Amino acid sequence: MSSKPKRGDVLDPKLAVEIRQATIGYSSKEPLLSSINIQFFKGEIVAIAGPSGIGKTTLLRTIAGLVPPLDGNFFIDGKENKPSRGELGYIPQRLGLVRHASVYHNVLLGALAGHTSPWFPYSSAAKKIALEAISSVGLDDKIRTPIRRLSGGQQRRVATARTLAQRPSIILADEFLGELDDETMNLVMEKVTSYVRESNATLIVVEHDISRAKEMADRILIMEDGRLNPFVNEPISIELDKEFEKEVNN
Amino acid sequence: MKSRYLSSAEETSDVQETILSSIWFSSRWFVLIGCLVFLSVVVTNSMVDNWGRLANGSDNLFAFINESLWPPDWSVTEPQAYPVCTEPEWRDFTCSTAWIGVIETLKIAFVATIFGMIISLPISLLAARNLNPWWVSFPARFILAASRSLPSIIWAIFFVILVGLGPLSGILAMTVYTVGYLGKLQYEAIEGVSRPPLEASEAMGHGWLERSFGMIIPESANGLISQLIFMFEYNFRHGTVIGIVGAGGIGYYINLYLKFLQYDKVIAYLLIIFIVVLLLDLVSIAARSFFTEDGDVTRPPSSWWGIFLPSAMIDLLKPK
C-alpha cells in the first residue's frame, strides 16, 4: 500500500492517474470503496468489471472530479487538482449528449473543450477537428441531424466522436459499448483504441461484459464486495473466476 | 421458506402486517387527497358566513347572461365614427376599436415579452443551482422574486405615475413582471436538465459560458420556447387588465364599456381575446414541435386538437 503523499514526492511520469488510500462513495458511513490504491499508466487500456451497484461508475465519476473522494488523494497527470480543461474525456453511461442539438453541435463541444480557452470558446481549427471526428465515425450524412432522431448506436458514435474531437489524455468511458451491434461496436472500439495507442492516452472503461473487456483491455480490474473489502488491483491478465464471469454475463 | 421458522401466531401477524401495508400503499394517495379536500372545506367554512348565498348564484348568473351579456354586440368590430376611417371597405374593420385594441395589446405583449426574456434569461442562468454556487444563485433569485412579487397591474399603476398614460407604461410594467415570472419558469426548466450532459461538460472542463449556451439552453429549449410563448399569451391576456389603469391596449375599451354597463360589448371583446389566445396556442404547438421528441407533439394542422385535448387523447381519436 502506498503511503499518503508528502511534500517533494516525485510521481512516476508514466502515470496518468494515481489513487492513494482513497475512500469513495456518497456517505462516509457507507463508503462504496475503502482505502483503495490504483495506478493507471499512459498508453494503457484498463477495464473495470464487477457486479452492478458495487461502485464502478462512482469510481469513474470520482476520477472525473464529479464526486469528491471521502478520503485519500487523486493525482491526474501528476497534479492533485481537478483535471485541467480538455485533459479528460468522459462518456457517461447515458452518453451525456444534448438531445435537441445537432451531431455537429455536440461534437464541436468536445473540440472546443480540447482546443480553445473557456473565455473565448471559438476556433476555426476546432470546427475542422469536429468535422473530421464526425467523418471518422461515419456520420457525415447526419451532421445537422438532432441527436434525438438518431438510433442508440449512432448516438454512441456521436459520443465517441465528441471525445475523439476533444483529444484528451485520459478517457473515462462507462459501458460505452453497451447494446451495440457488432459492426458499430467494432468501429467504435477500433477508433478509441487506435486513438489511445497513437496518442499515448489512457482509457479507463467500465465494462460489464468480461469477454469484451478481455478483448479490449490491457488489464482488467475486478471489483468484488466493494462495500467492505479492499479494491482488487492485479497487474496484467488476471485469471477470472469462471463463476463470476458467468454471473456477470448472465 | 420463511414460515418454516415462524410459529403460526407470528405467521398470522406477519400476513396481517403485509395486507395492511399493501392497503396503505395502494390507497395512500386517496387518503392524502381526501385529507387535503377536507382541510380546504374546513378552512372555507371558517371564512364563509352564509352558504345560502350559493343557492341564488345560478339564477343571478342566468339573469345576467340573458339580460346583459348575450348576444355579444359585434359593433365593436365596425369602424369607429371618429376619426373617420380612410381604409378601403374590405379592410375597414382595421378602424374598429376591437382591432385597434387587440393590435395594441399584442404589440405591448410582444415587446414586453422580448425585453423580459432578454433580461430574464441571463438572470435565470445565474439563478440555477445546478450551474452556480448558492452565493450566485440566491441574489439572482432575489431579483426575480422582487420583480414578481407585485402583480402587473400594480407595476402598471406605478409606471403610469412615472411616465404617464399610454402603451409605454404598459410595456414597462409588463417587462418588469415578465422578468420575474419568466425568469422563475426558466431557472426551473434549467434545473430540470438531466445530469449526464452537465457531468460530461464538467468533466471535459467547459467554462460557464459553454455549459450555459452550449448545453443548457439547447437541452432545455423545448421548455424555454414553450414558456416564452406562454408568457406572450399571458401578457396578452394581462394587457386587458393593465389597460384598465390607463396603460393602453384593449383593456382601455373594456374599461370604457364596463363604466357604461355595456356588458354585451365587453363580452364581444372577451370572445375576441379568447380567439386570439387560441391562435397563440397554435403558434406555441408549432414552435415547440421543433424541439420535442417524435410523437410527443406533432406539428399542425394534424394536431390542432392539441389546443383542447392532451396528446394521449388525440391518439385515441386518430383513425387507425
Side-chain angles (χ1 to χ4, degrees), chain B residues 112-122 175 178-179 182 186 228:
Chain B
T113 309
I114 298 298
F115 284 155
M117 191 267 290
I118 290 168
I119 300 167
S120 70
L121 190 58
T175 301
T178 301
V179 169
L182 189 59
Q186 283 172 336
L228 185 70

Side-chain angles (χ1 to χ4, degrees), chain B residues 15-308:
Chain B
V15 169
Q16 281 171 345
E17 201 174 299
T18 311
I19 291 169
L20 281 174
S21 74
S22 90
I23 289 171
W24 166 243
F25 190 76
S26 57
S27 63
R28 68 197 195 283
W29 290 112
F30 292 106
V31 173
L32 185 66
I33 291 167
C35 288
L36 286 174
V37 170
F38 178 73
L39 189 66
S40 306
V41 170
V42 168
V43 171
T44 314
N45 192 44
S46 69
M47 293 189 292
V48 176
D49 51 351
N50 180 13
W51 285 100
R53 286 190 205 176
L54 276 179
N56 300 327
S58 57
D59 294 341
N60 291 341
L61 179 67
F62 283 119
F64 181 56
I65 289 173
N66 286 329
E67 290 168 19
S68 306
L69 279 183
W70 210 261
D73 182 353
W74 293 109
S75 67
V76 296
T77 61
E78 290 166 8
Q80 298 176 94
Y82 183 83
V84 177
C85 186
T86 54
E87 295 293 332
E89 195 179 339
W90 62 273
R91 59 173 193 196
D92 62 0
F93 66 91
T94 58
C95 299
S96 65
T97 54
W99 178 264
I100 292 167
V102 164
I103 294 297
E104 190 168 276
T105 306
L106 277 173
K107 282 178 184 171
I108 293 171
F110 177 76
V111 172
T113 309
I114 298 298
F115 284 155
M117 191 267 290
I118 290 168
I119 300 167
S120 70
L121 190 58
I123 302 176
S124 59
L125 283 169
L126 290 170
R129 280 179 299 182
N130 55 349
L131 278 177
N132 304 288
W134 67 268
W135 49 269
V136 175
S137 65
F138 270 52
R141 279 166 190 243
F142 178 80
I143 294 168
L144 295 176
S147 62
R148 200 174 57 244
S149 58
L150 292 181
S152 50
I153 193 161
I154 306 292
W155 283 116
I157 293 168
F158 178 72
F159 282 109
V160 164
I161 295 166
L162 277 187
V163 298
L165 294 169
L168 180 60
S169 51
I171 290 171
L172 291 171
M174 274 195 191
T175 301
V176 173
Y177 189 72
T178 301
V179 169
Y181 198 108
L182 189 59
K184 181 176 169 61
L185 295 175
Q186 283 172 336
Y187 76 66
E188 282 178 355
I190 290 167
E191 285 179 351
V193 165
S194 62
R195 289 297 301 166
L198 283 175
E199 291 191 342
S201 172
E202 197 178 334
M204 282 192 276
H206 281 151
W208 188 88
L209 284 175
E210 283 164 305
R211 199 168 305 151
S212 301
F213 292 94
M215 289 257 176
I216 291 285
I217 291 181
E219 190 65 2
S220 54
N222 179 31
L224 297 180
I225 296 272
S226 169
Q227 286 152 7
L228 185 70
I229 296 169
F230 167 76
M231 202 64 222
F232 177 50
E233 180 201 307
Y234 178 91
N235 281 343
F236 174 75
R237 282 186 281 112
H238 270 244
T240 62
V241 179
I242 65 165
I244 290 171
V245 295
I250 201 169
Y252 168 78
Y253 298 103
I254 291 177
N255 189 34
L256 187 73
Y257 290 116
L258 277 174
K259 279 180 185 164
F260 291 117
L261 306 179
Q262 289 181 297
Y263 296 117
D264 49 353
K265 286 188 177 171
V266 172
I267 193 75
Y269 284 119
L270 295 182
L271 286 172
I272 289 166
I273 291 168
F274 175 65
I275 290 164
V276 176
V277 168
L278 284 185
L279 291 174
L280 291 178
D281 211 355
L282 267 182
V283 175
S284 169
I285 290 171
R288 283 177 58 221
S289 68
F290 290 96
F291 297 93
T292 48
E293 305 287 322
D294 294 341
D296 177 8
V297 179
T298 54
R299 287 170 204 167
S302 61
S303 67
W304 63 272
W305 279 104
I307 300 167
F308 304 104

